[in-house]
Amino acid sequence: MARGKLRIYLGAAPGVGKTYAMLSEAHRRIERGTDCVVAFVEHHHRPRTEVMLHGLEQIPRKEIDYRDSTFTEMDVDAVLRRAPTVALVDELAHTNVPGSRNTKRWQDVEELLAAGIDVISTVNIQHLESLGDVVESITGVRQRETVPDEVVRRAHQIELVDMSPEALRRRMAHGNIYKPDKVDAALSNYFRPGNLTALRELALLWVADRVDAYLTQYRSEHKVSAIWGSRERIVVGLTGGPEGRTLIRRAARLAEKGAGGEVMAVYISRSDGLTAASPKELAVQRTLVENLGGTFHQVVGEDIPAALLDFARGVNATQIVLGVSRRKGWQYVFGPGVGATVARDSGLDLDVHLITHDEAGKGRGLPLPRGARLGRSRVIWGWLVGVLGPALLTGLLTTAAPDVGLANDMLLFLTLTVAAALLGGLFPALASAVVGSLLLNWYFTPPVHTLTIDDPKNIVAIAVFVGVAVSVASVVDLAARRTHQAARLRAEAEILSFLAGNVLRGETTLAALLERVRETFGMESVALLERTDETDPWTCAGSVGPRPAENPEDADVDVPVGDHMALSLRGRVLPASDRRVLAAFAAQAAVVLDRQRLRREADRAKELAEGNRIRTALLAAVSHDLRTPLAGIKAAVSSLRSDDVEWSEEDQAELLEAIEEGADRLDHVVGNLLDMSRLQTGTVTPIIRESDLDEVVPMALGGVPEESVELDIPETLPMVHVDRGLLERAVANVVENAVKYSPEGQKVLVSASALADRVEIRVVDRGPGVPDEAKDRIFEPFQRYGDSPRGAGVGLGLAVARGFTEAIGGTLHAEDTPGGGLTMVLTVRTAPGRRPQQPDLPVAASP
């Protein structure tokens, strides 16, 4: 009997519509004549899901008694006896009640599949076993019911059921998922926008991996060799050398630029097992690539470029990262190298990156002088070829081939002169020409073993040889110098272009620019020194590297910038040709320093302007909002003191109440003004200690009517690390603001919940709300949103609340209340070592 096929609707979060989609598919199949039954579906009293069950055959559930209660589970035997073509089984990760046929529902499904029954099931991304720790770190909730990833991966079809966080929260607010009394708790805990966004990303990435497996299988079955760039895969070619670590890190950075990028490091070994690679270094690189989220592969191949390209095409890679060859210059006569070969044969579908690594510690900018550019070993080889080469060639010709002829002898000596010029430059070539002419005269020009020449033709031949040798050496050296000069000018142009671009964009900081100078010229330290006049001591405006120079006289290189500034470098003496670019760096450093100072002055001016604005607003508040309650108090007191009117006890009580209300209002306004003054001057000093929210928050509600607020502060919350007084004032201001804007008869909900290492206090009102563009503006001083009347406050309550919250290391921001209104979210840190108790999901939050 053929095994049945499994189709899974994978949900990004609870409530996205997995069960609804599964039932819709069942109706479509029934319309096509498929024998489809409901083996187990849980509608959780959701009206729309419940309606979809109409018209579908349902297998009766099996009742199981456990601990004096009766539970219902899927009746596997009944489904097997019915033997439908397709069975619908909801909640794949569900744990069966003890006493059931199997421990987990996915094991029940395995029995149905083994019996040849196709199964359609549902599961949420948070219930995959491999993601348990990740989900817990995001949501703070540990999933007790999980299903092995392999069970889901074996499914014949996986369909993602997705929904944006905003749309899901709207469904929640409309009561389409949970009962109304569960909505607020769910929205403020598990169904936060950040949680839903993270779960959605997990689902998309997991499904993308599954799709990639399908794609690999399809390409293998249909023998597709061309690369399909469906996602970025970067192959790193390793040689076993230490530069592999640099290549791996560079590839990881490339992968981070594209979502879902993957890094695969590969080492090509010979089939005979002989390799120059260090096993210890390969082990280090394997650990590094795995720590960065990549994989390590070892492939056997004789032709390294071909093996590397075959591997890259086999894994559908889009990029190859290789290091610049470590070979000596003369070794290129044996071939172009792996990097060049791979780049040539990669085709249009593979990008090849050649990464430099050996020059990392030597500076990366201007070419060095010619002698340093050729290197000491190369110059030595040039002298050896120019001086010893002719002697060795003379011995070879006199013993092995004495009858070659003078013309051929001259060509052979000329070859050595050209080789000396290529290796060591002009002077080894000139030495080769002189030594070669003398040896030609002594050993090969009659009469031999003497410096005299009898035949005039031979004199001309020797002269021509010397002239050609010197000319060739000069041309070769001139070409090398012109190449060096062109490379130098190109490097200078790149550096000057970099400086000009930074001037236009204003991006580079002084420290970054000085670091650029240090790296470009390979110096130990760089410092920008300045003084106000000729008699003042030098001061350091900025420096990088150890032991920066304190005076221009102490530096190895000193470039003046104007009359009172100098760029001083330590490390080595630079040639005069480097000072032109160094002068451009020095000028740019002065510009960057001036720009930084101008920016600081602009910031100070902005602060002064803000202070002036606040003072102006304060005067306006004092002139109106403070005078209004004072005027009321004055009028009531004057009335009570009047001898012309006989006030009744009720009138006297009313006037006294007016005085008390005015005094309270005045006290509140003055208190906010003083608090804002303390925040502006930075004199708020919080006293942080462990506190219980269920003790602090109720104290903050004393300024609002008791019947206007609903309090929900669980006793299981962890201790928080706050200043109790500042937190109480912040919560009081937020609650008073919410009560002020709430409709008549609508209570403000004040709730709290724990998430990871923080606790959130949410103040929810059902007022008019605030548009997104104004959510940050309402926290600015002297801001009153909408049509709030004058005298309703000076607009400092939320500004003070945010200032106090930030002073104790918390945050305060505004969100929309689903269904209308505004929710203020105040977040504070839990006390060190106080881990919150992990709450359970609301009913039906699991699948």
Side-chain angles (χ1 to χ4, degrees):
M1 178 182 296
R3 180 180 173 85
K5 296 179 180 178
L6 175 62
R7 176 171 181 168
I8 291 179
Y9 285 93
L10 179 66
V16 295
K18 305 177 303 300
T19 304
Y20 189 93
M22 179 180 67
L23 295 175
S24 298
E25 176 65 18
H27 281 286
R28 284 192 293 270
R29 296 200 180 198
I30 289 175
E31 290 175 359
R32 296 195 301 264
T34 304
D35 182 16
C36 184
V37 302
V38 175
F40 186 94
V41 168
E42 186 61 68
H43 55 73
H44 299 296
H45 304 290
R46 297 170 186 169
R48 297 187 179 182
T49 305
E50 192 171 358
V51 168
M52 293 297 293
L53 285 170
H54 296 168
L56 298 178
E57 179 185 350
Q58 300 186 48
I59 304 295
R61 301 183 183 184
K62 182 178 181 180
E63 294 185 352
I64 300 176
D65 294 328
Y66 179 68
R67 291 185 178 178
D68 300 327
S69 299
T70 301
F71 300 88
T72 60
E73 296 287 0
M74 181 175 66
D75 192 338
V76 180
D77 293 326
V79 178
L80 292 174
R81 287 194 300 269
R82 172 62 175 77
T85 303
V86 178
L88 307 184
V89 182
D90 205 4
E91 301 180 358
L92 186 64
H94 172 73
T95 301
N96 294 328
V97 175
S100 301
R101 182 189 187 99
N102 294 300
T103 304
K104 304 288 290 188
R105 184 164 292 163
W106 64 264
Q107 295 171 330
D108 296 338
V109 169
E110 287 292 319
E111 286 197 38
L112 300 183
L113 294 173
I117 301 174
D118 293 344
V119 176
I120 304 178
S121 188
T122 64
V123 70
N124 279 330
I125 189 66
Q126 69 264 26
H127 294 289
L128 296 182
E129 194 167 300
S130 65
L131 301 178
D133 294 338
V134 179
V135 173
E136 182 182 9
S137 66
I138 294 171
T139 65
V141 177
R142 182 67 181 182
Q143 300 296 330
R144 296 187 179 92
E145 297 185 333
T146 59
V147 58
D149 289 46
E150 185 58 30
V151 173
V152 182
R153 290 185 182 277
R154 287 201 304 263
H156 185 255
Q157 295 182 56
I158 299 175
E159 182 172 336
L160 178 64
V161 183
D162 189 21
M163 182 177 291
S164 69
E166 294 79 9
L168 183 56
R169 284 171 60 84
R170 281 197 301 271
R171 288 190 63 190
M172 176 78 66
H174 294 159
N176 295 333
I177 301 177
Y178 297 145
K179 294 180 180 179
D181 59 339
K182 299 287 186 181
V183 170
D184 287 333
L187 288 176
S188 62
N189 288 280
Y190 193 84
F191 288 84
R192 308 166 196 258
N195 290 0
L196 297 178
T197 301
L199 291 174
R200 188 185 191 194
E201 183 179 14
L202 281 178
L204 291 172
L205 292 176
W206 196 92
V207 172
D209 287 337
R210 181 59 179 161
V211 171
D212 186 66
Y214 281 134
L215 179 61
T216 302
Q217 181 181 355
Y218 177 87
R219 295 177 73 249
S220 176
E221 293 174 352
H222 293 79
K223 296 180 174 57
V224 177
S225 59
I227 292 176
W228 292 355
S230 56
R231 64 185 295 184
E232 290 294 336
R233 276 194 181 84
I234 303 175
V235 170
V236 185
L238 301 178
T239 64
E243 76 279 359
R245 307 181 195 182
T246 301
L247 304 184
I248 292 170
R249 293 188 181 98
R250 182 61 181 273
R253 292 198 298 271
L254 289 174
E256 290 174 356
K257 295 180 180 179
E262 185 178 357
V263 176
M264 289 173 284
V266 58
Y267 172 72
I268 311 295
S269 61
R270 301 286 185 181
S271 59
D272 57 5
L274 299 176
T275 176
S278 166
K280 181 179 179 181
E281 183 62 28
L282 284 178
V284 171
Q285 294 176 13
R286 176 192 293 271
T287 303
L288 175 62
V289 70
E290 290 175 351
N291 289 339
L292 293 174
T295 56
F296 183 92
H297 307 267
Q298 188 162 345
V299 178
V300 177
E302 297 296 330
D303 188 345
I304 293 179
L308 184 61
L309 288 171
D310 289 342
F311 176 84
R313 292 193 171 97
V315 298
N316 202 29
T318 56
Q319 302 180 57
I320 295 179
V321 173
L322 299 173
V324 173
S325 177
R326 294 183 297 167
R327 298 191 300 173
K328 300 289 186 181
W330 60 268
Q331 292 177 310
Y332 281 96
V333 300
F334 301 106
V338 174
T341 304
V342 170
R344 182 192 63 199
D345 299 338
S346 61
L348 300 177
D349 50 3
L350 262 175
D351 296 332
V352 179
H353 303 268
L354 289 179
I355 308 300
T356 58
H357 46 83
D358 289 337
E359 299 296 329
K362 302 178 183 179
R364 62 168 191 241
L366 302 177
L368 299 175
R370 176 166 173 78
R373 177 180 61 84
L374 293 176
R376 177 178 298 180
S377 61
R378 184 169 172 178
V379 173
I380 292 174
W381 274 105
W383 282 103
L384 291 176
V385 171
V387 177
L388 297 182
L392 295 176
L393 179 61
T394 299
L396 180 65
L397 292 176
T398 54
T399 57
D403 300 326
V404 172
L406 182 60
N408 292 327
D409 293 336
M410 288 183 177
L411 290 177
L412 292 174
F413 277 95
L414 184 61
T415 301
L416 289 177
T417 302
V418 173
L422 290 174
L423 289 173
L426 178 62
F427 295 107
L430 293 178
S432 177
V434 172
V435 173
S437 62
L438 292 175
L439 291 175
L440 281 172
N441 187 4
W442 185 269
Y443 287 100
F444 303 103
T445 305
V448 295
H449 304 302
T450 179
L451 295 179
T452 60
I453 302 175
D454 291 342
D455 190 347
K457 295 181 180 180
N458 292 337
I459 296 176
V460 174
I462 293 293
V464 169
F465 166 77
V466 173
V468 171
V470 172
S471 300
V472 169
S474 300
V475 170
V476 171
D477 183 71
L478 180 62
R481 284 189 286 110
R482 289 289 184 265
T483 301
H484 168 68
Q485 184 179 13
R488 181 182 187 83
L489 292 175
R490 183 173 65 250
E492 289 183 2
E494 291 177 355
I495 292 172
L496 295 175
S497 175
F498 164 80
L499 291 176
N502 287 335
V503 169
L504 294 175
R505 294 188 298 270
E507 293 177 351
T508 302
T509 62
L510 180 61
L513 183 64
L514 296 180
E515 181 64 27
R516 175 80 177 187
V517 175
R518 190 178 71 86
E519 291 181 358
T520 297
F521 296 97
M523 305 301 286
E524 180 182 351
S525 64
V526 180
L528 183 63
L529 306 177
E530 64 174 346
R531 60 183 178 180
T532 55
D533 55 48
E534 299 293 338
T535 60
D536 288 339
W538 291 95
T539 60
C540 182
S543 65
V544 294
R547 300 187 307 107
E550 298 180 357
N551 294 286
E553 295 79 10
D554 300 335
D556 295 314
V557 180
D558 171 32
V559 179
V561 186
D563 296 331
H564 306 296
M565 191 174 292
L567 186 66
S568 302
L569 295 81
R570 269 184 171 176
R572 60 188 177 89
V573 178
L574 293 178
S577 57
D578 286 349
R579 288 183 174 268
R580 179 175 56 191
V581 176
L582 189 57
F585 271 112
Q588 174 67 359
V591 171
V592 170
L593 181 61
D594 290 340
R595 184 187 299 123
Q596 288 183 351
R597 290 173 175 171
L598 289 174
R599 187 179 295 113
R600 285 196 294 268
E601 292 179 2
D603 292 338
R604 284 196 295 268
K606 185 178 179 181
E607 291 177 359
L608 292 174
E610 180 65 18
N612 288 332
R613 186 186 72 82
I614 291 178
R615 279 191 291 271
T616 302
L618 179 60
L619 289 175
V622 170
S623 65
H624 186 280
D625 294 297
L626 292 180
R627 293 179 64 185
T628 299
L630 281 174
I633 294 172
K634 175 66 174 176
V637 172
S638 299
S639 299
L640 288 173
R641 296 189 60 188
S642 175
D643 297 330
D644 300 334
V645 181
E646 186 70 27
W647 301 102
S648 63
E649 292 184 1
E650 292 80 5
D651 293 336
Q652 290 180 8
E654 185 176 348
L655 290 173
L656 290 173
E657 184 179 357
I659 293 173
E660 185 178 10
E661 289 180 356
D664 290 341
R665 183 172 160 192
L666 186 62
D667 179 71
H668 180 73
V669 171
V670 172
N672 276 335
L673 288 172
L674 292 175
D675 290 339
M676 179 52 61
S677 175
R678 293 169 59 201
L679 289 171
Q680 292 290 333
T681 56
T683 57
V684 176
T685 304
I687 303 175
I688 305 297
R689 62 177 184 270
E690 292 187 3
S691 303
D692 272 322
L693 279 185
D694 56 359
E695 296 178 359
V696 178
V697 175
M699 298 294 294
L701 307 183
V704 296
E706 185 177 349
E707 65 277 3
S708 63
V709 177
E710 179 183 347
L711 193 60
D712 182 17
I713 307 294
E715 296 181 356
T716 57
L717 288 176
M719 303 280 282
V720 292
H721 217 217
V722 297
D723 182 302
R724 295 187 58 170
L726 296 183
L727 179 61
E728 182 181 329
R729 288 297 306 277
V731 174
N733 282 6
V734 172
V735 173
E736 289 173 8
N737 185 78
V739 171
K740 182 191 306 181
Y741 288 99
S742 290
E744 189 70 25
Q746 287 277 0
K747 289 187 177 183
V748 172
L749 173 63
V750 180
S751 63
S753 58
L755 180 65
D757 60 347
R758 59 190 186 276
V759 173
E760 285 188 354
I761 304 171
R762 305 177 75 87
V763 181
V764 183
D765 68 61
R766 297 293 179 177
V770 176
D772 292 339
E773 62 273 11
K775 282 188 172 63
D776 285 332
R777 196 165 62 247
I778 61 177
F779 293 101
E780 297 178 3
F782 303 104
Q783 296 292 323
R784 284 181 291 198
Y785 177 70
D787 56 354
S788 298
R790 300 289 295 180
V794 294
L796 287 177
L798 293 182
V800 170
R802 172 172 277 188
F804 282 170
T805 303
E806 292 176 349
I808 60 178
T811 60
L812 176 63
H813 66 276
E815 296 178 357
D816 289 328
T817 301
L822 190 68
T823 298
M824 292 290 181
V825 183
L826 193 155
T827 304
V828 293
R829 297 168 300 174
T830 59
R834 301 278 186 166
R835 293 290 298 172
Q837 297 183 13
Q838 296 174 350
D840 294 332
L841 280 174
V843 177
S846 161

